[in-house]
Amino acid sequence: MQERPLGDPMARVARSRHEFGEHGGVNLSIETSATFTVMEAGKMPAIFEGREGPGGGCFLYGRHFNPTVMVLARHLAALEATESAYCTASGMAAISGSLLHACSHGDHIVAGQALYGGTWALLHDFLPRKAGIETTFVDLSDLASVEAAFSARTRVLYCETVSNPTLRVANLPALADIAHRHGALLIVDNTFAPLSISPSRHGADVVIHSLTKFINGASDIVAGCVCASGAFIDGMYDLHLGSLMLLGPTMDPRSAYEVATRFPNLGLRMQEHARRASSCAERLTALGAAVIYPGLPSHPDYVLHRELANAGYGAGGLLAVDLGSAERANRFMEHLQNIEDFGYMAVSLGFSDTLMSASASSTSSELDELALTRAGISPGLVRLSIGYTGLLEDRLEQLERGWRAATG
Ligand SMILES: *Cc1c(COP(=O)(O)O)cnc(C)c1O
């Protein structure tokens, strides 16, 4: 990779302290132990009371600290330019843990209306009923309505950097300004935009990833993380009130090792995902398709994306195309999978091969009819996570044949 400036996230990751393996190996070791010895009996209460951490030489117990998991967390903090980070067993655990840490019973959240389906259900159904935490959903591009949704009990403004599946880009500096004026935190799910956008540099207080997607990149591990200040992270594993400590969605050290070994090639992968997604978006546009891709000048947030994006990583690996009806959308995907071997009909994203899904009937099916319309998710909308296998020229021809078969 070419030389990158200081502000580059992969450069920050490369500068975060390398961890040698137990025997001086170039890869880190996997510490599988669930419990750790102390050398002096007096240390035990000090660790439990939080006066001593793993820096004092004892990791205590696997739900508190694990050295392998902590190496991955350090890389993730470097990636997102935050003071600290914590790894979780899934992206949803990172989201629910962060929100339950930031909010108490009776508190209020303002959230974008175009969200990952699981997050939408957590905010719309689970949190109000189980924890007395209400959410007002707003159109994030209408800053006046975002502001108007705040109340004295609002603790969090929640959004996705690039929304699922409509790929709207959040105006992070403006949203951070609104949140901070109201004494609330801006919590951002950056799953769709690792490397291309660094939310903490635009005012976000907490940055969340589903590592299941681009960051692990192999679709073989479910994992997540929270990147935030030291105080926010420490609070999440407080012995009495820590949402992650007490709900317990701990990352397995074997998963942490796998994700950590794939971290160094994240930059290369993201560049190639974006290069190919951009070519696919252009090819479909040339065929007259209604394409949604933040790197196209026709996208409503084209300029905003350019303003927020880190140099060199393009406009992301995802695009969406509206086929006009669910039937055409299905024909498009079936042709591309079963005739062309272009990709797979599967949910999720960030895999080496292309993954395709019709959002309204899959990853956004938690949303009701009205919420789907508000979020701009029509029945014919197909989301594609563009992979990097095969020759790009072949892929573009397959894509074109798929489009013609579905619309002809
Ligand atoms: C997949 C996804 C999640 C949930 O992550 P899991 O690892 O499946 O729990 C949250 N947000 C977005 C944007 C996602 O794509």
Side-chain angles (χ1 to χ4, degrees), residues 322-333 380 382 402-403 406-408:
D322 196 344
L323 276 289
S325 72
E327 196 203 351
R328 280 172 152 205
N330 291 345
R331 235 188 300 153
F332 179 60
M333 292 188 294
V382 174
W403 170 261
T407 59

Side-chain angles (χ1 to χ4, degrees), residues 79-220:
L79 176 79
E80 289 300 357
T82 56
E83 214 173 30
S84 189
Y86 196 85
C87 298
T88 54
S90 70
M92 283 313 299
I95 294 167
S96 55
S98 297
L99 293 175
L100 285 168
H101 179 56
C103 299
S104 298
H105 193 277
D107 285 343
H108 176 249
I109 296 169
V110 176
Q113 59 196 6
L115 293 174
Y116 177 71
T119 307
W120 189 85
L122 177 74
L123 293 168
H124 185 263
D125 304 319
F126 186 96
L127 287 177
R129 269 191 248 167
K130 301 283 188 182
I133 299 166
E134 298 284 341
T135 294
T136 303
F137 295 93
V138 293
D139 174 359
L140 292 174
S141 65
D142 179 356
L143 295 174
S145 79
V146 175
E147 179 108 42
F150 275 74
S151 74
R153 294 300 301 262
T154 306
R155 299 283 176 263
V156 170
L157 174 54
Y158 185 91
C159 71
E160 294 172 4
T161 317
V162 175
S163 74
N164 181 24
T166 48
L167 311 180
R168 291 302 307 257
V169 180
N171 187 341
L172 297 175
L175 295 173
D177 180 55
I178 294 173
H180 296 159
R181 272 195 282 108
H182 290 271
L185 296 174
L186 177 61
I187 301 186
V188 179
D189 179 339
N190 201 31
T191 300
F192 276 32
L195 297 180
S196 60
I197 296 178
S198 301
S200 74
R201 311 201 107 205
H202 303 293
D205 302 287
V206 179
V207 182
I208 288 166
H209 279 283
S210 165
L211 302 175
T212 315
K213 315 296 168 55
F214 287 108
I215 292 185
N216 180 57
S219 288
D220 61 346

Side-chain angles (χ1 to χ4, degrees), residues 4-318:
R4 300 203 153 272
L6 260 165
D8 178 77
M10 282 315 287
R12 286 196 298 272
V13 172
R15 279 188 200 91
S16 73
R17 185 161 55 85
H18 181 76
E19 191 83 9
F20 291 102
E22 195 182 358
H23 307 286
V26 293
N27 287 304
L28 77 155
S29 298
I30 309 176
E31 176 51 74
T32 58
S33 299
T35 189
F36 298 85
T37 50
V38 291
M39 289 306 164
E40 305 140 45
K43 271 238 167 132
M44 199 72 96
I47 299 170
F48 265 103
E49 286 156 23
R51 284 182 282 115
E52 277 217 34
C58 180
F59 289 90
L60 190 62
Y61 180 66
R63 182 157 39 77
H64 298 234
F65 310 106
N66 174 283
T68 309
V69 178
M70 287 176 81
V71 170
L72 177 61
R74 206 163 64 225
H75 291 329
L76 289 160
L79 176 79
E80 289 300 357
T82 56
E83 214 173 30
S84 189
Y86 196 85
C87 298
T88 54
S90 70
M92 283 313 299
I95 294 167
S96 55
S98 297
L99 293 175
L100 285 168
H101 179 56
C103 299
S104 298
H105 193 277
D107 285 343
H108 176 249
I109 296 169
V110 176
Q113 59 196 6
L115 293 174
Y116 177 71
T119 307
W120 189 85
L122 177 74
L123 293 168
H124 185 263
D125 304 319
F126 186 96
L127 287 177
R129 269 191 248 167
K130 301 283 188 182
I133 299 166
E134 298 284 341
T135 294
T136 303
F137 295 93
V138 293
D139 174 359
L140 292 174
S141 65
D142 179 356
L143 295 174
S145 79
V146 175
E147 179 108 42
F150 275 74
S151 74
R153 294 300 301 262
T154 306
R155 299 283 176 263
V156 170
L157 174 54
Y158 185 91
C159 71
E160 294 172 4
T161 317
V162 175
S163 74
N164 181 24
T166 48
L167 311 180
R168 291 302 307 257
V169 180
N171 187 341
L172 297 175
L175 295 173
D177 180 55
I178 294 173
H180 296 159
R181 272 195 282 108
H182 290 271
L185 296 174
L186 177 61
I187 301 186
V188 179
D189 179 339
N190 201 31
T191 300
F192 276 32
L195 297 180
S196 60
I197 296 178
S198 301
S200 74
R201 311 201 107 205
H202 303 293
D205 302 287
V206 179
V207 182
I208 288 166
H209 279 283
S210 165
L211 302 175
T212 315
K213 315 296 168 55
F214 287 108
I215 292 185
N216 180 57
S219 288
D220 61 346
I221 289 171
V222 174
C225 72
V226 184
C227 304
S229 67
F232 191 91
I233 299 296
D234 289 352
M236 286 196 302
Y237 54 100
D238 179 87
L239 290 181
H240 297 278
L241 284 170
S243 52
L244 295 179
M245 172 59 60
L246 298 173
L247 297 176
T250 310
M251 178 184 276
D252 187 277
R254 297 159 185 88
S255 298
Y257 171 81
E258 297 282 345
V259 178
T261 57
R262 289 157 192 174
F263 222 106
N265 56 47
L266 178 64
L268 297 172
R269 286 188 277 120
M270 292 313 297
Q271 286 172 338
E272 191 61 6
H273 280 299
R275 185 177 80 90
R276 288 174 176 240
S278 173
S279 297
C280 291
E282 281 165 16
R283 176 63 66 101
L284 285 169
T285 303
L287 293 167
V291 183
I292 302 172
Y293 185 65
L296 290 177
S298 60
H299 190 279
D301 300 320
Y302 173 71
V303 174
L304 177 62
H305 187 275
R306 289 188 78 127
E307 281 168 9
L308 297 184
N310 295 313
Y313 296 102
L318 286 146

